[in-house]
């Protein structure tokens, strides 16, 4: 709420200066649901202009240390960490806050600022007035180390306007804010092994370990943020779901000759919070030459502390790294340092009933939007899939902008829970093709050359790969079929590329879900899962071998046969179990016996992960031979009835008949019903 002077009249400042009617100084700009701790300050927050807060406000500091960020009572550490990118790069700062705008000492100043925020493929200009939320006459949200510097609280207000309110900024992903402020890419690396318990740390994978060390080369060019998702014993002072900035990385040698990697961490809270061996009077400093120790300790500002690499991996859960952006606006690879100077982008959409085919578990997967990526020379390529949240709002100019993730939308720095309503679970896959005229079912039934590890509820997913020259088929997808949404596909490459959408022909959406042209034989096999007998669950469980097995024989012919296997459970949608299946090729020694031998075989093809769906399907090409199909639920002892449908393309030529004056006769495929 905006408190007025005692006489009920506006001050001269309010009479002469700009007031933003689209983001007014009132509760609607502060709150969206009143569901965060911010709501307790509702009656106490006032709105003041900088010249009412201090006598000589400045936009930027003379000394960079004076502009160091400090977090207030708003839980937007994720956004503030991304703002560090602007402190590292003058050209990025000028991109977001255009220089030359009049400020407080200028007679032409009228109480407003314009900033730019990258939104869904373009830079959008946003203008706000300079009225800022305060408690007791002082800024209550973000501020700089020196309180008369205002670039940060003004940019925070711009970001709150884009996302609907200040409360919308409570919890989010550092990676999302980095993209919004740079127009580039950001990567998240987990520092924990998901196969181990949460209180045990493990080193990053070998690739991440090498890249982690390579950050020494990029520490002055990109933002490195680290996050704590859950506090461990003895580390509660770090807080939960909190983001920090890695402000420096130093490689040193101890007095005993041991290599040390030390990281300087900035807590946006602006206060010291570290009790480890490298605290100011900790025992860790005895390992260094006194001159080196004195130098590192002298660099600490408010809220900063040093940690060793081993401590860092143990105490923090993940790191987020923004790709460096050159002065020409090109991204630089975190892995090879190559400049990705060639970029392409195209919008797209998943349309229910037409192009929302779901993940590769669905027979409708080929109906998803498809893109040709032509790589003209061997290149390092990054492909990013940015989705627009399903719940969008119109902004001040009528454009459609995405609101910030809600509290339940799996932000990196809020408690993990069920996926929110704003984002779909999305993934991205790439296939190499020899030429543009290809057999789509044949291509999509083969393993992709690159793909995301799984479908995730992130605003943007991307993959990095080294690609040889040629054509590639790029397919973005949601996990669930008929999940509608809009997206932006971006490609960054070190070499020349071209990106184009494959335009669907009339009726192609439905044709993609049907069988390829030709004749097909269909066999239906019924079965059931029964607790303690034939409900063995997935391959994660030793009881897997007790699941039903169905034979599949592919006769000799001119080559591999196209075969579609479908598993359909007999239930209502609300009662579906997660189901999937594996196809095993019969070994020459015959089908193994024993309760554990099946677990020792690797499946030839799989329709996993298990899905809560009435039907899952997989289209493939199999050479002649004998196979076994093993359908399963995810958990053991899950009972249900099902049907396995095996459709095999017939390898024979059409018949010509004189009785029909030379017209082609299509033999009708037969359906055989078998019961077990």
């Amino acid at each position: 709420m905006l408190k007025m002077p005692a006489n009920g009249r506006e001050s001269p400042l309010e009479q002469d200066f700009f007031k933003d009617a689209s983001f007014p100084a009132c509760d609607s700009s502060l709150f969206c649901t009143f569901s965060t701790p911010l709501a307790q300050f509702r009656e106490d927050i006032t709105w003041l202009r900088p010249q009412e807060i201090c006598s000589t406000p400045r936009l930027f500091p003379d000394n960079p240390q004076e502009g160091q960020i400090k977090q207030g009572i708003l839980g937007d550490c994720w956004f503030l960490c991304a703002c560090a990118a602007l402190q590292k790069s003058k050209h990025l700062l000028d991109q977001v806050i255009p220089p030359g705008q009049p400020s407080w000492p200028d007679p032409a100043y009228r109480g407003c600022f314009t900033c730019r925020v990258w939104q869904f493929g373009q830079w959008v200009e946003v203008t706000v007035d300079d009225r800022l939320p305060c408690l007791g006459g002082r800024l209550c949200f973000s501020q700089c180390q020196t309180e008369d510097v205002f670039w940060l609280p003004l940019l925070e207000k711009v970001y709150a306007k884009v996302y609907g309110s200040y409360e919308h900024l409570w919890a989010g992903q550092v990676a999302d804010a980095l993209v919004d402020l740079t127009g580039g890419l950001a990567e998240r690396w987990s520092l924990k092994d998901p196969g181990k318990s949460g209180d045990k740390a493990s080193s990053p994978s070998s690739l991440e370990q090498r890249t982690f060390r390579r950050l020494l080369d990029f520490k002055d060019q990109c933002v490195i943020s680290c996050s704590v998702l859950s506090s461990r014993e003895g580390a509660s002072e770090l807080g939960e779901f909190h983001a920090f900035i890695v402000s420096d990385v130093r490689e040193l040698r101890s007095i005993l000759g041991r290599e040390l990697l030390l990281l300087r961490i900035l807590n946006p809270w602006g206060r010291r919070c570290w009790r480890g061996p490298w605290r100011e009077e900790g025992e860790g400093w005895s390992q260094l030459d006194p001159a080196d120790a004195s130098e590192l300790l002298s660099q600490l500002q408010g809220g900063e502390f040093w940690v060793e690499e081993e401590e860092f991996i143990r105490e923090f859960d993940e790191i987020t790294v923004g790709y460096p952006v050159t002065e020409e606006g090109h991204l630089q690879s975190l892995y090879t340092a190559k400049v990705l100077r060639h970029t392409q982008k195209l919008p797209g959409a998943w349309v229910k009933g037409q192009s929302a085919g779901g993940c590769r578990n669905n027979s409708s997967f080929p109906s998803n939007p498809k893109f040709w990526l032509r790589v003209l020379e061997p290149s390092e390529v990054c492909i990013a899939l940015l989705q627009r949240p399903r719940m969008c709002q119109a902004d001040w100019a009528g454009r459609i902008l995405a609101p910030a993730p809600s509290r339940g939308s799996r932000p990196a720095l809020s408690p993990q829970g069920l996926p929110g309503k704003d984002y779909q679970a999305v993934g991205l896959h790439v296939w190499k093709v020899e030429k543009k005229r290809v057999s789509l079912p044949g291509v999509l039934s083969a393993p992709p050359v690159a793909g995301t590890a799984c479908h995730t509820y992130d605003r943007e997913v991307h993959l990095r790969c080294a690609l040889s020259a040629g054509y590639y088929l790029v397919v973005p997808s949601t996990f669930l079929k008929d999940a509608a949404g809009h997206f932006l596909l971006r490609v960054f490459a070190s070499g020349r590329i071209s990106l184009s959408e494959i335009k669907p022909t009339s009726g192609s959406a439905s044709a993609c879900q049907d069988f390829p042209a030709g004749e097909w034989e269909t066999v239906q096999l019924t079965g059931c899962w029964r607790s303690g007998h034939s409900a063995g669950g997935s391959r994660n469980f030793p009881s897997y071998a007790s699941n039903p097995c169905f034979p599949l024989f592919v006769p000799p012919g001119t080559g591999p046969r196209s075969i579609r296997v479908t598993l359909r459970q007999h239930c209502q949608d609300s009662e579906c179990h997660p189901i999937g299946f594996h196809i095993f090729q019969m070994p020459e020694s015959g089908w193994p016996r024993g309760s554990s031998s099946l677990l020792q075989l690797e499946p030839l093809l799989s329709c996993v992960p298990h899905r809560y769906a009435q039907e899952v399907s997989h289209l493939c090409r199999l050479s002649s031979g004998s196979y076994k199909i093993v359908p399963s639920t995810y958990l053991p002892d899950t009972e249900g009835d099902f049907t396995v449908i095996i459709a095999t393309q017939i390898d024979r030529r059409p018949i010509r008949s004189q009785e029909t004056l030379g017209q082609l006769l299509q033999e009708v495929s037969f359906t055989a019903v078998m019961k077990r």
Side-chain angles (χ1 to χ4, degrees), residues 518-519 650-669:
E519 300 177 61
I650 303 172
D651 184 17
R652 58 185 169 212
R653 289 177 292 183
I655 299 174
R656 290 186 179 273
S657 170
Q658 293 181 352
E659 285 76 6
T660 56
L661 303 179
Q663 295 180 358
L664 287 175
L665 290 181
Q666 291 284 341
E667 291 190 5
V668 179
S669 300

Side-chain angles (χ1 to χ4, degrees), residues 112-277:
C112 63
F113 280 95
T114 296
C115 299
R116 300 190 190 102
V117 180
W118 190 91
Q119 291 283 280
F120 209 68
Q122 61 183 343
W123 287 96
V124 179
E125 287 196 347
V126 187
T127 299
V128 294
D129 62 38
D130 64 359
R131 294 178 292 181
L132 298 169
C134 295
L135 281 173
R138 301 180 64 182
L139 292 171
C140 61
F141 296 156
S142 73
Q143 56 188 272
C144 294
Q145 192 73 29
T146 302
E147 295 185 18
D148 62 349
V149 176
F150 286 92
W151 73 271
L152 183 62
L154 286 169
L155 180 58
E156 182 184 51
K157 183 172 184 178
V158 166
Y159 207 61
K161 180 176 179 177
V162 169
Y163 278 70
S165 71
Y166 278 96
E167 195 174 44
H168 265 125
L169 303 186
W170 197 288
Q173 299 254 23
V174 177
D176 292 348
L178 275 170
V179 173
D180 289 343
L181 295 181
T182 67
L185 291 177
E187 285 202 16
R188 289 167 54 201
W189 296 328
S190 173
L191 297 175
K192 297 294 179 287
D193 184 348
K196 296 186 177 183
S197 59
D199 60 345
K200 294 182 180 180
S202 65
S203 297
S205 68
S206 58
L207 175 63
E208 290 175 344
Q209 184 69 47
R210 292 197 303 270
T211 307
F212 188 74
R213 287 279 177 170
R214 193 178 294 121
L215 293 180
L216 287 167
D217 301 329
F218 290 121
K219 64 179 182 179
D220 296 324
Q221 302 167 255
C222 66
V223 166
I224 309 170
S225 173
C226 53
S227 305
V228 174
L229 303 184
S230 59
S231 294
R232 284 160 291 284
E233 184 178 356
S236 59
E237 65 273 9
L238 293 180
E240 289 189 325
F241 313 110
H242 188 45
F244 303 76
I245 298 170
V246 180
S247 52
D248 196 7
V249 183
R250 297 288 295 271
E251 201 166 25
L252 302 165
R253 190 172 294 277
S254 73
I255 56 178
L256 298 178
R258 184 170 72 93
E259 290 187 357
L260 291 173
L261 185 69
L262 295 181
L263 300 94
R264 193 173 77 210
I265 311 297
L266 169 63
N267 183 355
W269 290 338
R271 62 176 185 266
R272 303 284 165 83
C273 63
W274 186 245
R275 300 176 186 174

Side-chain angles (χ1 to χ4, degrees), residues 21 201 230 460 504 554 587:
S230 59
E460 185 169 44
V554 180

Side-chain angles (χ1 to χ4, degrees), residues 2-3 56 58 96 198 206 234 236 256 295 343 355 376 432 442 444-445 458 499 502 529 532 562 582 606 623 640 659:
L2 177 64
K3 292 189 176 180
T56 55
R58 298 177 290 164
V96 173
S206 58
S236 59
L256 298 178
E295 178 195 354
T343 63
S355 60
L376 300 174
K432 176 74 180 289
L444 297 183
S445 64
D458 289 325
L499 181 69
I502 301 177
W529 297 292
S562 293
H582 297 282
S606 300
S623 302
E659 285 76 6

Side-chain angles (χ1 to χ4, degrees), residues 35 88 102 158 285 375 438 489 548 579:
S35 60
K88 289 177 176 285
V158 166
W285 299 106
V375 179
V438 297
L489 188 68
I579 58 172

Side-chain angles (χ1 to χ4, degrees), residues 327-639:
E327 292 191 11
E328 294 77 23
H330 302 308
L331 300 190
Q332 191 172 4
S333 170
L334 293 171
Y335 297 85
T336 64
K338 293 181 180 178
V339 177
L340 309 178
R341 62 182 71 255
H342 301 275
T343 63
Q344 296 277 310
K345 63 181 180 182
L346 284 175
W350 297 289
V351 180
K352 183 177 180 180
Q354 298 182 30
S355 60
C359 67
R360 296 175 68 204
N361 287 349
N362 298 286
S363 58
S364 55
F365 177 78
S367 68
N368 279 301
K370 293 170 285 294
F371 298 83
W372 286 124
L373 172 62
R374 187 182 181 188
V375 179
L376 300 174
E377 53 192 315
S379 304
E380 180 180 359
V381 179
C382 289
I383 307 174
L385 173 63
L386 173 69
Q387 60 173 319
R388 189 195 298 276
R390 286 174 288 180
M391 299 177 65
C392 294
Q393 60 190 25
D395 73 339
W396 53 96
R399 293 179 293 266
I400 298 297
L401 292 179
S406 66
R407 289 285 290 173
S409 62
R410 194 188 171 273
L413 305 176
S414 67
Q416 302 291 313
L418 294 175
K421 297 181 179 179
D422 291 334
Y423 297 123
Q424 307 276 10
V426 295
L428 188 62
H429 294 85
V430 180
W431 283 266
K432 176 74 180 289
V433 294
E434 295 302 323
K435 54 185 178 181
K436 278 196 172 184
R437 302 181 67 87
V438 297
S439 169
L440 187 61
V443 171
L444 297 183
S445 64
V449 297
T452 51
C454 60
H455 286 67
T456 60
Y457 290 93
D458 289 325
R459 189 180 78 169
E460 185 169 44
V461 299
H462 66 274
L463 55 88
R464 169 194 165 271
C465 46
L467 299 180
S468 58
Y471 283 100
Y472 294 84
L473 180 66
V474 181
V475 182
S477 63
T478 59
F479 182 72
L480 295 177
K481 177 183 175 182
D482 287 333
H486 291 80
F487 62 85
L488 180 70
L489 188 68
R490 299 192 289 162
V491 182
F492 305 84
S494 58
R496 294 171 298 152
I497 56 169
S498 65
L499 181 69
S500 60
E501 184 180 5
I502 301 177
K503 296 292 184 181
T505 57
S506 178
S508 64
S510 60
C512 286
Q513 300 180 36
D514 297 331
F515 295 119
E519 300 177 61
W520 292 76
E521 290 180 345
T522 303
V523 176
Q524 296 188 16
L525 311 171
T526 61
C528 64
W529 297 292
R530 292 292 178 261
S531 178
H533 175 61
S534 60
S538 66
R539 297 182 73 233
N540 293 341
F541 302 95
S543 56
Y544 175 75
S546 65
N547 281 300
C549 293
F550 295 89
L552 170 62
F553 177 72
V554 180
T558 56
R561 300 286 186 95
S562 293
I563 293 176
R564 173 169 287 158
V565 178
T566 301
L567 172 61
R568 179 182 300 154
Q569 58 178 319
H570 305 167
C571 64
Q572 301 297 324
D573 285 337
S574 60
E575 301 173 352
C576 285
H577 303 303
I579 58 172
F581 61 84
H582 297 282
I583 301 177
F584 296 86
Q585 187 166 21
M586 287 280 287
E588 294 182 1
S589 57
W591 192 247
R593 297 183 178 181
S595 59
S596 62
S597 55
L598 184 57
L599 291 172
Q600 298 171 2
L601 294 179
E602 285 297 322
L604 179 67
L605 296 168
S606 300
C607 186
V608 292
H610 290 65
R611 287 190 53 228
Y612 284 95
Q614 280 192 319
E615 180 179 293
V616 296
S617 182
H618 188 71
L619 178 66
C620 57
R621 291 179 63 82
L622 296 178
S623 302
S624 61
S626 296
Y627 303 84
K628 292 281 189 178
I629 303 171
V630 182
S632 64
T633 58
Y634 181 72
L635 293 176
D637 296 328
T638 303
E639 296 195 337

